[in-house]
Amino acid sequence: MEKIPRYDSRDALSWTRTESADTALRRWHLDLFTVRGWCTAGAGGLLLFLAYLLGRHEMMALGLGLLALASASWGLAMRLRGRTNIHRELLSEVPTVGEVSKFRLSCAERSTIQERLPEDFGPGPRLQAPGSIEYELVFRTRGIHLMGPAQQIVVDPLGLIQGMVRTGESLQVPVRAQLHELDRFASLGERTLTGDAKFSRSTTADYYDVATRDYQQGDSIRQVHWKASARHAKLMVRQENHVATAQGLLVLDTSFEHWNHSGSDLRISLPQAHAEALTSSRRFENALSLASSIGLRYATSGYQLAFRNLAGTSLAQRDLHSISELGALNSFEDFHAATTELSLDNGSVEANGPEILGSTLHKELLGFREEPVIMILGELDAPQAAWLATLSRTVRHVEIFLLVSHPERYLAIQHELARTSWKVHILPGNMAIDEMWG
């Protein structure tokens, strides 16, 4: 079996699609004429001009014949191109940055098709139709990427026409933010793995059939399975609370000035199909990827997270209020799907002294006194950190990720937040997520 070709935009050579022919020629597809084609058409035109001057009818007939031959070859190529039926299909369910997405290109007519990939990938695979070809793409930026329209190689038997013309429809491919495995980071998600949860996945499970695990520091005494503890001669706790469903809050800073404020921030352009591209930075893309990865881990552990920006606006396409295992996964999927079009905003939070959170988010945050709260921020000064630390009196389980260009300059902020019981991570945001923790 032939190996499926794979294209990775990171491995592609830096290149730009250039059109050598004049714009007017491309508009009417006259750039398809070969040198022989232009010579034939030019000879026909010259014979018509000489026939007009000399009054020779046979010369006029020959000139008209040459022009008709060139026009017929051009028309035949255009007609064959218009009859070609190309079908492009996305075989992967959820295209995500860094993961392999599989596509299939098929055509029932006899033709030669050159697939047109997004700009970062370079030339695509070639299909000798009728038939189909499968290929794989590895996207390195999120957004809505445009596949196609494909290019058909047209040629006539006389060699007067040869070139590529666009054919078929384009396909918009939404690509979501990248996901990372965070299980090896012990500081992440400890609240998910221990402690009590508000809503049990199953309240009717038989006491003797419930799965158990070893007692861990922080487990409630109400979780202890006394029968299992007696059998194993050590404390065992019920597993159903470990996989319970509870609520949490994830706050992601989407302020433009917090992620694009200095020359150290590498700006990134994110495609949006036919719409204007979005402007982002490497730091924000790492922050969004971190938010998605943490959201997935909490969702799979049974927590339904609410995703908000600093103003308190929802970052997901919809808000789910059903507290269940399915609702937790759906809540994350809605947020992850929204990352394809998530953009940085200007002035989302009105300046009110050192208060970095909007009034709407501030009120909502006070409702998460015992539930986990994750904050992923781009910038923070000492007065803002001091004000944020005052919330620790009412909101206990907070984990802050501060992704900055120069972590060594944030000792004062770290000192302010150290007065709380929160977990604080000040990370080099321009590094890859796998390298941030060393």
Side-chain angles (χ1 to χ4, degrees):
M1 184 178 179
E2 186 178 354
K3 185 178 180 181
I4 298 177
R6 178 176 299 178
Y7 300 85
D8 191 334
S9 59
R10 178 178 296 176
D11 299 332
L13 296 176
S14 177
W15 72 293
T16 304
R17 298 180 190 270
T18 57
E19 303 286 353
S20 57
D22 183 73
T23 305
L25 295 179
R26 294 199 308 270
R27 182 181 304 155
W28 298 100
H29 299 291
L30 297 180
D31 58 322
L32 297 178
F33 280 104
T34 62
V35 175
R36 181 184 298 178
W38 282 115
C39 291
T40 302
L46 180 61
L47 288 176
L48 286 179
F49 179 71
L50 293 177
Y52 174 77
L53 293 179
L54 303 176
R56 303 293 297 269
H57 298 287
E58 65 278 9
M59 191 176 294
M60 179 176 293
L62 181 58
L64 288 174
L66 292 177
L67 287 177
L69 183 62
S71 300
S73 298
W74 181 87
L76 179 62
M78 290 297 99
R79 183 179 179 184
L80 292 176
R81 167 239 182 189
R83 294 175 57 186
T84 304
N85 184 19
I86 296 177
H87 179 67
R88 185 184 294 102
E89 182 181 3
L90 173 62
L91 302 180
S92 302
E93 294 183 1
V94 183
T96 304
V97 172
E99 298 182 1
V100 178
S101 301
K102 184 180 293 187
F103 296 83
R104 178 188 293 124
L105 184 70
S106 58
C107 180
E109 291 80 15
R110 186 179 180 85
S111 58
T112 302
I113 306 298
Q114 178 80 45
E115 175 64 297
R116 188 180 180 92
L117 302 179
E119 193 73 20
D120 296 338
F121 287 91
R126 180 171 295 190
L127 168 64
Q128 292 291 341
S132 63
I133 185 174
E134 293 185 0
Y135 58 95
E136 298 173 340
L137 299 184
V138 181
F139 295 95
R140 294 299 175 178
T141 56
R142 63 182 178 92
I144 303 179
H145 295 259
L146 200 62
M147 304 285 298
Q151 294 180 311
Q152 180 179 353
I153 301 176
V154 294
V155 62
D156 72 318
L158 300 178
L160 304 181
I161 299 293
Q162 185 175 5
M164 304 178 72
V165 293
R166 295 185 179 184
T167 183
E169 300 294 332
S170 58
L171 175 66
Q172 296 185 11
V173 182
V175 179
R176 307 181 182 190
Q178 188 171 5
L179 297 173
H180 294 268
E181 294 289 340
L182 300 179
D183 291 338
R184 65 181 181 276
F185 300 135
S187 60
L188 288 179
E190 290 183 358
R191 177 65 179 169
T192 308
L193 304 179
T194 61
D196 295 322
K198 282 190 174 181
F199 303 92
S200 176
R201 175 188 292 183
S202 174
T203 58
T204 60
D206 187 277
Y207 183 80
Y208 295 96
D209 294 334
V210 171
T212 58
R213 61 175 173 85
D214 291 341
Y215 176 85
Q216 297 177 1
Q217 185 178 2
D219 289 339
S220 172
I221 195 67
R222 291 176 296 174
Q223 291 179 255
V224 176
H225 193 295
W226 298 108
K227 295 289 185 180
S229 300
R231 289 197 308 267
H232 294 84
K234 61 180 179 179
L235 283 179
M236 305 291 293
V237 295
R238 295 189 296 274
Q239 186 75 13
E240 73 270 18
N241 280 340
H242 167 67
V243 292
T245 302
Q247 290 180 301
L249 179 65
L250 191 147
V251 180
L252 175 62
D253 184 0
T254 59
S255 302
F256 183 88
E257 62 273 12
H258 291 172
W259 301 103
N260 290 275
H261 79 290
S262 67
S264 60
D265 287 324
L266 177 62
R267 297 201 175 189
I268 299 175
S269 180
L270 305 176
Q272 293 292 297
H274 299 289
E276 183 179 359
L278 302 178
T279 300
S280 181
S281 69
R282 184 176 181 182
R283 272 200 306 135
F284 180 72
E285 293 306 303
N286 284 337
L288 186 57
S289 178
L290 182 61
S292 301
S293 304
I294 294 176
L296 176 60
R297 180 171 182 182
Y298 271 73
T300 53
S301 297
Y303 277 81
Q304 178 171 318
L305 291 181
F307 298 88
R308 302 287 187 266
N309 62 10
L310 296 183
T313 305
S314 175
L315 298 177
Q317 296 177 344
R318 57 182 177 175
D319 278 329
L320 298 177
H321 301 285
S322 60
I323 305 300
S324 65
E325 179 186 5
L326 181 60
L329 293 175
N330 287 342
S331 180
F332 166 74
E333 287 296 332
D334 285 339
F335 167 73
H336 199 208
T339 59
T340 61
E341 302 177 76
L342 184 61
S343 61
L344 297 172
D345 49 52
N346 292 311
S348 60
V349 180
E350 296 182 1
N352 187 16
E355 299 184 11
I356 191 174
L357 308 181
S359 58
T360 302
L361 179 60
H362 190 192
K363 294 177 182 178
E364 185 176 8
L365 189 64
L366 296 179
F368 289 84
R369 299 176 184 270
E370 298 295 332
E371 287 75 33
V373 176
I374 304 101
M375 294 186 182
I376 302 178
L377 309 176
E379 288 295 332
L380 200 65
D381 57 30
Q384 291 172 338
W387 175 84
L388 200 59
T390 61
L391 298 178
S392 63
R393 303 166 187 170
T394 53
V395 186
R396 297 176 54 193
H397 303 284
V398 177
E399 192 160 4
I400 297 179
F401 297 88
L402 190 58
L403 275 65
V404 297
S405 300
H406 304 283
E408 66 276 5
R409 301 178 183 177
Y410 286 80
L411 296 179
I413 286 86
Q414 190 172 11
H415 177 72
E416 292 288 347
L417 296 177
R419 301 174 182 176
T420 69
S421 60
W422 297 347
K423 297 176 182 176
V424 181
H425 311 269
I426 301 181
L427 306 172
N430 286 316
M431 297 179 62
I433 289 183
D434 293 338
E435 302 174 356
M436 286 183 183
W437 280 268

